[in-house]
Amino acid sequence: MKKLEDIPKKDPFKAPDGYFDQLPGIIQARITKPKSHTIWIPVLKFALPVVAFIAAGVFWFSDQATQPFEDQLAGINTEELIAYLDNTEFAWEDTEEITEWNEDDVLDFEDRVYSTFTTDNSDLDLLENELIELENL
Amino acid sequence: MEDKDLLLKIRNPETRNYGFNLLVRAYQQRVYGHVRKMVIDHDDADDVTQEVFIKVHKAINGFREDSQLFTWIYRIATNECLTFLNKKRKRFFLPIEDISGQLAGKLDAMPELSGDEIQKKLQKALLTLPDKQRAVFNMKYFDELSYEDMSRITSTSVGALKASFHHAVKKIEDYLSAD
């Protein structure tokens, strides 16, 4: 039987040359590495989905708000719109209260209405004759 | 420099890095040697040794001077080795025998063991031991630690350590006599 004490005692494992010169520096670099990176990773893991969710919400609602009025109107079902108008008492008084007409607005409105008339002198003569005939009756 | 002076430097914020650098220089060879005998491969030993000192750095403020600094570091190193080997086994779904075979293959590939068949055979015999018993054998046989220090390192009674070492020697001699 082979005895352990017959074998010369020696450590057979050798580190590569220069290993122990470099190791303290490597360890020093690891322990002095800024910790912010490792601290922020767990925070970001939860914060990023929240930020992404909020960004998606902002984008969605801003997109809704900027959609052209005509497009929004086209999206409404005609039958639903008629039903809504039939069942809703529209208060004209409210709109009149909101709209304030001054004298310039009235004159401007008058000009715009008159400008839509396409009359020439013959029309005016005809109207004038009709007025005379009415007066003679 | 004595451990007491090292600890004073480490506990002073102004000299902490310098003091810890001195600690690494003082203990790196013994820690690496212990780790290397357990994990066999140099790259693995390098990783584990670095982790040992990172853990020492993190825990040094909690070190109570009722034990020697060396036994405290040795305890961390032993635990790191056992954790590393367990993880390795779990990662590759290997039983004890297979990881021993894998490590024995690394021994065959080591240039420093080429031509020294008896040392290679002794190391292969050690790989047949359970990890904890191998650690006990290495501490007693190669590092020549006292049973009292080993008891502090492993939190095991001196009697149990003596029995473990005795059984380890028996198994090794059986292995060496096998062919």
Side-chain angles (χ1 to χ4, degrees), chain B residues 137-150:
Chain B
F137 179 86
N138 287 340
M139 281 188 269
K140 186 68 196 161
Y141 180 77
F142 289 109
D143 302 337
E144 298 179 342
L145 297 186
S146 68
Y147 280 115
E148 286 71 25
D149 280 347
M150 287 168 63

Side-chain angles (χ1 to χ4, degrees), chain B residues 85-107:
Chain B
L85 292 169
N86 280 335
K87 275 187 189 169
K88 195 165 188 162
R89 243 174 233 120
K90 282 178 187 165
R91 198 184 309 144
F92 297 108
F93 304 102
L94 292 171
I96 292 170
E97 300 77 28
D98 284 0
I99 200 166
S100 301
Q102 198 184 66
L103 295 177
K106 287 186 177 180
L107 286 173

